[in-house]
Amino acid sequence: MAEQLELFAIQNPCRGICESDSRGFCRGCYRSREERFMWMKLSDSEKRKIFRLCHHRYLKILKIKGENGNIIPEQPGLF
C-alpha cells in the first residue's frame, strides 16, 4: 500500500508532563516508553498509528474517570 504524501511533518505529541502512569504510559501524551524513545525514527504512517493508539488510551482514561465522577482530563487539549 502506498504511503500518502504529507504536507506537514507530524509533530511530536509531547506535552511536557513526562510522568508514567501505573501501566507505563505517559500521563501527558499517552505514549509508551518505547513509543517516546523511537518517535524520531518512525515513519509518518507509524506516527499516525501511535496517535490513534494514544487517542484510544485517552478515551479509556476519560471513561474510567467518568465512572469515578471525575471527568476532567489531566492534560486537556491533546485530542
Side-chain angles (χ1 to χ4, degrees):
M1 178 178 203
E3 200 169 313
Q4 180 177 347
L5 177 67
E6 292 291 329
L7 298 176
F8 303 100
I10 297 177
Q11 297 295 314
N12 189 324
C14 180
R15 307 298 284 178
I17 305 290
C18 303
E19 294 178 14
S20 294
D21 65 11
S22 61
R23 296 191 63 208
F25 297 113
C26 178
R27 293 181 189 271
C29 64
Y30 303 99
R31 291 181 293 168
S32 69
R33 180 181 177 103
E34 181 179 320
E35 290 166 347
R36 292 189 316 262
F37 288 158
M38 296 296 293
W39 185 259
M40 297 306 291
K41 298 177 184 177
L42 298 174
S43 69
D44 285 349
S45 63
E46 291 170 320
K47 289 177 182 180
R48 282 191 298 276
K49 180 180 176 185
I50 290 174
F51 266 115
R52 284 192 298 275
L53 290 171
C54 291
H55 184 68
H56 288 292
R57 294 170 188 152
Y58 170 76
L59 293 175
K60 186 174 181 178
I61 294 294
L62 283 183
K63 181 180 176 186
I64 291 169
K65 286 184 178 187
E67 291 171 357
N68 294 332
N70 182 6
I71 59 171
I72 300 172
E74 290 179 25
Q75 183 64 27
L78 180 60
F79 299 105

